[in-house]
Amino acid sequence: MKILVINGPNLNMLGIREPDIYGRKTYADLLEFCRERAAKNGDETEFYQSNHEGDLVDRIQQALGAADAILINPGAYTHTSVAILDAVKAVSLPTVEVHLSDPDSREEFRHVSFIRLACAATFSGKGFESYGEALDFLSALNKHEGKR
Ligand code: DQA
C-alpha cells in the first residue's frame, strides 16, 4: 500500500529544535526511518512537510485516489486546526495521528487534538518509534481490510 506521511510546522527543524523534547536526529533521519519501516511491511511511503496550514490542506486533498492511507503529525496545528481535520474527513482515507512527544502530558493547550476526531488511532511519546508503530498499524489494517 502507499502511505502518505505528512509532517506539519517545525518538524523540518528536527535535530535542532528543542532536542531535550524531540531528540537529536534530523528530519532526513526520520524519513529514512519511515522508509525502512514501511519497506519491511511491504509498503511504500511518500513524504510531505509544510509550515503552512493551507498547504497541508491542499496536500491532504491531493491524496484522494493517489494514496491508500495517511500518517500525519500536524505539529502545533494538531491543537488549533479545524481545516486540517475537515480535509482528512473529506478524503476519508484511513488516517493515524502521530507525535514524537506525548502532548497529553505537556502544557494544557496541547491536550486538545482536533485531528484525533478523524483518526483511527494515535501514536505518541515514543520519538521515531511513534511513526514506526503507526506504519505497522496502517499496514495491518490494510491487510485485514483486504481479507474482508
Ligand atoms: C508534536 C507535538 C505538538 O504539540 C508540537 O506543537 C509539535 C510537535 C510532536 O510531534 O510531539 O510541533 O506534534
Side-chain angles (χ1 to χ4, degrees):
M1 79 189 297
K2 194 191 265 185
I3 303 171
L4 174 62
V5 178
I6 299 180
N7 282 287
N10 300 308
L11 287 154
N12 56 319
M13 296 287 284
L14 278 184
I16 299 164
R17 163 189 202 205
E18 301 179 87
D20 291 350
I21 298 175
Y22 299 114
R24 299 210 173 265
K25 289 189 178 160
T26 66
Y27 178 67
D29 293 335
L30 175 64
L31 302 198
E32 197 187 309
F33 175 89
C34 288
R35 214 173 277 124
E36 275 177 17
R37 183 66 157 260
K40 255 186 212 158
N41 293 331
D43 298 321
E44 224 182 288
T45 39
E46 200 176 320
F47 300 97
Y48 182 74
Q49 190 278 329
S50 175
N51 295 323
H52 306 278
E53 186 175 16
D55 290 345
L56 293 163
V57 168
D58 286 344
R59 190 63 190 87
I60 291 164
Q61 289 183 4
Q62 286 161 15
L64 191 61
D68 301 304
I70 297 174
L71 181 166
I72 186 166
N73 181 350
Y77 288 138
T78 306
H79 320 301
T80 61
S81 182
V82 177
I84 293 174
L85 165 67
D86 284 349
V88 167
K89 281 185 168 176
V91 297
S92 198
L93 290 168
T95 300
V96 291
E97 172 191 14
V98 170
H99 302 284
L100 293 155
S101 68
D102 176 17
D104 292 334
S105 61
R106 295 177 62 192
E107 303 97 320
E108 207 166 319
F109 63 84
R110 295 185 203 275
H111 296 183
V112 172
S113 169
F114 287 100
I115 194 84
R116 198 163 300 171
L117 296 170
C119 290
T122 297
F123 299 89
S124 63
K126 295 188 175 171
F128 283 11
E129 187 54 24
S130 299
Y131 288 73
E133 288 182 2
L135 289 166
D136 293 350
F137 175 88
L138 286 172
S139 196
L141 190 72
N142 184 55
K143 280 163 194 153
H144 178 77
E145 293 290 314
K147 279 192 200 122
R148 284 209 293 165

